[in-house]
Each structure stands twice: as structure tokens, then as C-alpha cells.
Amino acid sequence: MTPPPPGPASGATLDRDGHAARSETAGQIEPVYVHFEDLDAMGVVHNGRYVLLIERALESFWTREGWPFDPSQPHFADIFFVVKQFGITYHIPITSVGPVGVQLWIDRLGSSSVVYGFRVLSADGSVVHAECRRVQVRIDPATMRPAPIGAALREACRVLLVPGADVGGAGVVAAADAGSQ
């Protein structure tokens, strides 16, 4: 079985509180691989390894988009983010090695922070193994203090914004705007 191809999806909705709701079609799906060392003694992916699956998906997506996490690159300071908060809900264990999909999207793009949503999916996309939320803050590497997200990176993030996403001072992304990004 092969994972869903990376690529855009659209159609997120708002939840009852007016926040961008997790959607089966929001953002991008990145194929990642579950390795033998990701399994625990019970033969399921260890809970702590889901974070690595998400990291692998983020690295793959942003590298393909031209923003690799590489200190030798001139824009590395622009992507110097730290994780402020991470939450995960586990639904169905992953019980074998092989490909899975990680769906990623952005619910909020603030002046110095970004709120990602994730779903860890079976390779065919039919099973949701886990749902995650992660808040990251861009910091200045010299001062280690929060710093604004630059215009070029903000533009690159648009492909991940769900309809209804809060984009800081720019307001809420309309469904038509997000669908054309």
C-alpha cells in the first residue's frame, strides 16, 4: 500500500466555536515511514514516536517548499521556531512498519506564532490514528526572544491555511481565498 501523495486539499469548515475545524481535506498530506525502532515492546508505535512522524512530515513539506531546516541556508534565521505547546489524541494504534500519511495544516498564523493541526493517517487515508495540535513561536536566534514571521515565510504558509484560519492582523481567511492558495 502506498501513502496518499503529497498535495493540496481544501474544504475545511468552522467548528461550533468559530475556529477552523479539522477536516479530512485540509492542508497537505505528507507520506512518512514507520520504522521498526518506532514500535514498542507491545508491537505498536510508541506514543512518543508520533512526534517524530510529525517532524518527518514537516521537514519533508518545508524542504520541498524551499525552506529546509538547514543552518547553512541564508534564510535559516527566518525559520527559527520553538515549540510552545503540543497536544495529541490517540485513536487507533499503528501496529506495523511501513508508510503512513501525516496531514498537516495551519489553523492560525499570528505575527510571531503558528498553530498547526495534524492527523496521522493510515497509508490509504481510511484510518485516523491520532490528531495533534502544535503551537510554535518564531524567535530571534541572537536574542532568543519572539520575533515577527517575515513576509516571504507568511506567503509560503498560505498553502497550509484552512478556510477560516486566523491570520493575525490580516483577519480570517475566507473560504474562497484559501481554496485558491
Side-chain angles (χ1 to χ4, degrees), residues 91-107:
H91 298 296
I92 298 172
I94 299 172
T95 59
S96 63
V97 299
V100 296
V102 175
Q103 181 182 8
L104 56 141
W105 64 90
I106 294 175
D107 284 322

Side-chain angles (χ1 to χ4, degrees), residues 163-174:
D166 180 353
V167 290
V172 173
V173 175

Side-chain angles (χ1 to χ4, degrees), residues 125-148:
S126 66
V127 176
V128 177
H129 294 287
E131 294 179 276
C132 315
R133 178 180 181 271
R134 178 163 117 166
V135 179
Q136 291 182 195
V137 177
R138 180 175 177 267
I139 60 173
D140 181 311
T143 65
M144 301 305 264
R145 302 291 305 154

Side-chain angles (χ1 to χ4, degrees), residues 25-110:
T25 58
Q28 303 274 326
I29 297 175
E30 287 296 320
V32 296
Y33 200 84
V34 173
H35 300 274
F36 179 75
E37 65 266 16
D38 296 326
L39 303 178
D40 64 15
M42 295 178 283
V44 299
V45 171
H46 185 275
N47 65 78
R49 301 301 270 198
Y50 283 79
V51 175
L52 293 176
L53 296 177
I54 289 165
E55 290 291 339
R56 292 172 189 157
L58 282 169
E59 187 274 334
S60 175
F61 172 79
W62 285 113
T63 296
R64 189 176 64 253
E65 293 295 310
W67 295 87
F69 302 122
D70 180 351
S72 70
Q73 296 293 316
H75 66 266
F76 184 71
D78 296 334
I79 58 171
F80 201 89
F81 283 81
V82 294
V83 175
K84 179 177 182 173
Q85 184 180 67
F86 186 86
I88 187 165
T89 301
Y90 303 96
H91 298 296
I92 298 172
I94 299 172
T95 59
S96 63
V97 299
V100 296
V102 175
Q103 181 182 8
L104 56 141
W105 64 90
I106 294 175
D107 284 322
R108 181 177 190 284
L109 181 61

Side-chain angles (χ1 to χ4, degrees), residues 1-2 4 29 101 119 121-128:
M1 213 172 352
T2 59
I29 297 175
R119 293 183 339 140
L121 307 167
S122 59
D124 66 1
S126 66
V127 176
V128 177

